Amino acid sequence: MSLLDTASLIVTPNGYKEGKLYSVIPSDGSGDMSVTRATTATRVNSAGLVELVPYNLLSWSQDFTNGWFAYLGSITATANYGTAPDGTNTSTRILFTSNNQIWAKAISGLTNLNGTFSVWIKGVAGQTIAISYGGTDNVVTLQSGWNRYSVTAVGTIDFIFIDTFGSTATDIEVWGGQVVEGSTAKDYQKTETRLNIPRLDYSNGTCPSLLVEPQRTNQYLKSNDFANWSNNNGTNTITPNYAISPDGIMNASRWVATGTGYRYNLYGLFTLGTTTVSIYAKRNNSGTQKFGFFLNGSGTVDYELNLTNEWQRFTYTFNLTNEYQGLSAEVGADVSIYGYQLEAGSYATSYIPTTSASVTRNADVISKTGISSLIGQTEGTLFVDVYRPNQASPFLFTLANSVGSNSYLNSIYIFQLPNDKMVVDCFVSGVKQFGIETSVGITNGRHKIAVAYKQNDAVVYLDGVLLGTDTSCNIPPFSAFEVNNVDIGSTSNFDINSVALWKTKLDNATLAQLTTI
Amino acid sequence: MSNNISWGKIYESTWWGDQIKTADSLYDYATPTFNAPFDLELRVASEGGVLESTFCMSLTILNLSQI
């Protein structure tokens, strides 16, 4: 029997949907993790591009009655009307009563007016129907059966339409709406609320990790609209949409320094104190390129970016003492830039696009309750394979009999403190049973950790090496698993490669093999 | 479709490549547990979810099957 046969739970970052990260084992759904964030976010996708999660900006993409309305005319829409392209009974019938009628929905979350609306439509072959993005109509001729149609435009309004202006069809079925930034429709991505979607991130290699981050706010408005920042001293020119940016769209800006000076966006007070600024940048030629962040009103390059011909994300952490914070360059600099971020904290987190207001991305919390049957009660093993991005980033895994506040009172947890050691503790009714810890924090990068337990016999392995043991401990009852937690302010920041449970205490040789990097 | 040496695959394409099973094989690759990724693929599809990088998942599963 291998560890694969005996595992009671294996979760890898591969299968997901809104609010759910699928477990590989068990396969009946009882081990699927709940994911909560309640905001959208970004990730680095498998192509290495910064991507909105979800990239489909249209909520409830398979229900054209949710949020849609008759902007012009008397229109009837019926959800779950017929068989959709995926075989489910989820198409929506839209019945217009005449020409020049508009079925409309507002779109939010756009950071770029260049977008594409795509939708599957079925109707009478040869008839026409109009689809519109941002005020631009595209009258399409319907083919037989279900077909996907799209319209790309530089929008002037944040609405999409299905309308009968200049068209002949009045009775159609629709399914699978999608709005994306840029001129490519992209593969269809089903949405509902667009929230709570696990983020599979490829920043660390060709295989994904589950990105877990704390709540952060990008306080800098117009994060990718450098031309419209409020202040500059006339020493630079900005060309919007100059280059393909790290998100794969032609929306990076060019900064040419005709003199030595600065540009910043002032709208109010930032949170003062420890702050991290970040930006994606690359050089446009091989000349002198002194370009970087100016800090606390200096107006000069205080932190120079080591630019190359490739996109990189540069970050800098400092003590923010006033609101005059932005970019600066010396004459001759010719740089492409994308995605400015200013966030309170000692390290940068994933890019949070902003337009007219600051934007907060909530913390990622992954949990599962009611799984006492999957967690060893009198003995067991918890294994985690993680990636730690920096020394300030904590992480927390908890086996307990509840989630949320005070769940640690009956638990075993693995907790990497920020800028400190990693501890593995066990509590029963609030009484500490054992504590096994490193002398210093684990290094940045990938680590495999396992804690195996039974009464008076606990052991922790880290990266193939025995970290410590305890021979006088009781074990609490378990029914829940949680990553990140309100008790530490949901401050975890790391990537998860896999998590597994066994209902037996694995022997030391097996633990060593399991945790070897 | 079988091949000319009578070793084969359950599906037209597998996640693992083709396996040679002999009397000395240490692991039965047809066990329900080993097929969990296939079950996951079906389950995700049936719920309208997304499955990414199945090859990476197969590596994790394969590694655990060897311990």
Side-chain angles (χ1 to χ4, degrees), chain A residues 21 27 29 37 92 97 112 120 154 188 194 207 221 244 248 313 318 371 452 482 505:
Chain A
L21 179 68
S27 59
R37 190 180 55 248
T92 297
T97 52
N112 187 321
W120 271 269
V154 177
Y188 171 61
R194 299 188 65 246
C207 285
L221 309 191
I244 300 290
R313 193 181 193 205
F318 65 107
I371 53 169
E482 187 172 30
K505 177 182 175 294

Side-chain angles (χ1 to χ4, degrees), chain B:
Chain B
M1 186 171 65
S2 61
N3 52 54
N4 61 4
I5 60 171
S6 298
W7 58 281
K9 46 197 177 183
I10 302 168
Y11 306 101
E12 280 305 308
S13 65
T14 76
W15 301 37
W16 327 106
D18 297 317
Q19 310 289 341
I20 298 176
K21 292 179 65 179
T22 70
D24 297 326
S25 292
L26 294 175
Y27 192 83
D28 181 359
Y29 292 98
T31 62
T33 305
F34 202 75
N35 283 326
F38 299 101
D39 297 334
L40 176 62
E41 185 175 20
L42 294 173
R43 198 155 59 91
V44 170
S46 70
E47 296 183 12
V50 178
L51 191 61
E52 293 186 12
S53 301
T54 52
F55 180 75
C56 297
M57 176 170 56
S58 75
L59 294 179
T60 300
I61 296 301
L62 191 59
N63 285 337
L64 288 174
S65 75
Q66 302 302 312
I67 301 175

